Amino acid sequence: MRVFALALVLVVAATMVIGIAGLPPHGDPDGPVHTHVGARYLEQGVAETGLRNLVTAVLLVYRGFDTFLEVVVIFTALVAVLALPSATRQPPQSRDESAAASRRDTDDAVPVSPVVFLVVRLLAPFIAVFALASLYRGHVTPGGGFQSAAIIGAMMIALGLVFGREHAARLVPHGAKAWLQALGPLVFAVVALVGWRLTGAFLGFPADEAAHALREALVVILEVAIAVGGAVILAQLFMALDAPS
Amino acid sequence: MSVVFDAVMLLLLIATAITVARARDLVAAVVKFGLYSLVLCLVWQHRGAPDVAITEAAVGAGVTSVLFLLTIAKTARSERR
């Protein structure tokens, strides 16, 4: 068995090394990556999309379908976690039971160190501002919806770890929870249909110079939806796993 | 200098990856995996991909570590031999 495993590792490693040896040098301007559509993106991307951050331009305008499905994948991951029996179990109904449950939680819980408590409390507003800045400037500088979602989600999880899951749950409004979780795919679908109406192509963006403001508005709406929806999904993943079992 | 930095970081990546795979205690493996993500984040930044670096730091080193730890708390802490 060990010999077989070793042989398998060697074969796979040799295949990988041979494959890597066949790649063009890193950053080679004549490499296939840079001579196909990439060259067009680099030369005309800014003029065509009006977005100065080419990564965002490729992500949302040129490769909108990929990003749409990426958002759906994240949503599907949350649905899969929520479909686990332990994640959707209802909290105890009667007062005695819930009191017993909360006592059990506090018994289990390790008290948060004052250092961690203070650091998270102090840093949380700065993390939130950084996330908003990376969202707001996402079409100009590095960053954008996904980065912002990751940062806000991480901040909500840090707050949840320090303040407990009851406080963390309040960060996501209960009534709007279902809508916020699906915000990314929903808004993407709406923007895609708007693009269809305007340009005749699903997920199309109006290309003429006069529609610059509209195009930018569509991109910002998408970015905000990706950020809010992604952050809520990350927080919900945390809360589903953190629920008492 | 740039090549030296890359080489050191990539060697660190391989080393941390091996320690993650060798860890018997899954909590230790999660902490080491966070370290791996942090090194990878520096590599992304150094290769000129700040977008990916931000996501790697927040998701790789932050969120997934917490999710892994919660999963370990619900299952078992050490791998079956």
Side-chain angles (χ1 to χ4, degrees):
Chain A
M1 198 60 210
R2 276 185 89 86
V3 178
F4 175 70
L6 189 67
L8 193 65
V9 166
L10 285 178
V11 168
V12 172
T15 317
M16 265 179 70
V17 168
I18 293 168
I20 291 169
L23 288 176
H26 186 82
D28 178 15
D30 296 326
V33 188
H34 301 293
T35 52
H36 193 45
V37 286
R40 185 198 163 102
Y41 294 166
L42 285 179
E43 283 158 13
Q44 297 169 24
V46 175
E48 277 185 346
T49 64
L51 305 172
R52 275 184 284 156
N53 180 1
L54 271 180
V55 176
T56 306
V58 170
L59 213 60
L60 291 180
V61 181
Y62 289 121
R63 289 277 178 265
F65 268 106
D66 291 19
T67 314
F68 189 2
L69 293 179
E70 221 166 277
V71 171
V72 173
V73 163
I74 300 173
F75 177 67
T76 311
L78 177 70
V79 171
V81 169
L82 291 181
L84 293 173
S86 69
T88 48
R89 188 174 298 154
Q90 292 299 312
Q93 291 301 318
S94 79
R95 182 162 300 180
D96 288 351
E97 276 181 44
S98 75
S102 72
R103 201 162 47 238
R104 197 168 57 240
D105 287 349
T106 44
D107 285 347
D108 282 355
V110 181
V112 176
S113 128
V115 177
V116 174
F117 189 81
L118 192 70
V119 166
V120 169
R121 266 185 69 165
L122 277 180
L123 281 184
F126 293 101
I127 297 173
V129 169
F130 177 57
L132 288 179
S134 110
L135 174 64
Y136 176 65
R137 306 275 298 162
H139 54 293
V140 184
T141 56
F146 285 105
Q147 283 75 25
S148 187
I151 299 166
I152 299 175
M155 183 200 72
M156 286 164 95
I157 289 175
L159 289 175
L161 284 173
V162 167
F163 288 97
R165 74 179 74 90
E166 290 82 14
H167 285 79
R170 256 180 259 153
L171 288 171
V172 181
H174 190 76
K177 200 160 77 179
W179 289 99
L180 287 175
Q181 285 166 359
L183 194 67
L186 279 179
V187 171
F188 234 111
V190 170
V191 168
L193 291 177
V194 169
W196 193 6
R197 187 85 182 75
L198 291 176
T199 66
F202 192 71
L203 254 178
F205 282 85
D208 47 331
E209 197 59 44
H212 177 77
L214 176 64
R215 197 169 52 225
E216 202 161 51
L218 287 177
V219 167
V220 169
I221 289 171
L222 278 183
E223 295 263 53
V224 171
I226 291 171
V228 174
V232 168
I233 285 176
L234 284 179
Q236 289 302 124
L237 280 175
F238 164 72
M239 271 170 240
L241 282 170
D242 194 35
S245 52
Chain B
M1 191 55 216
S2 172
V3 176
V4 176
F5 183 86
D6 268 351
V8 170
M9 283 298 149
L10 290 177
L11 286 176
L12 252 179
L13 264 188
I14 296 171
T16 44
I18 291 173
T19 56
V20 171
R22 287 184 62 87
R24 283 278 167 207
D25 184 353
L26 291 180
V27 173
V30 169
V31 174
K32 287 163 181 170
F33 193 61
L35 186 66
Y36 173 89
S37 287
L38 200 66
V39 177
L40 191 56
C41 166
L42 292 176
V43 173
W44 292 134
Q45 175 63 37
H46 191 238
R47 302 304 302 191
D51 311 61
V52 190
I54 296 172
T55 315
E56 183 70 45
V59 173
V63 176
T64 50
S65 301
V66 173
L67 296 183
F68 277 142
L69 286 176
L70 288 172
T71 310
I72 290 171
K74 292 206 158 197
T75 53
R77 180 166 173 165
S78 58
E79 222 174 326
R80 234 177 326 134
R81 280 166 194 272

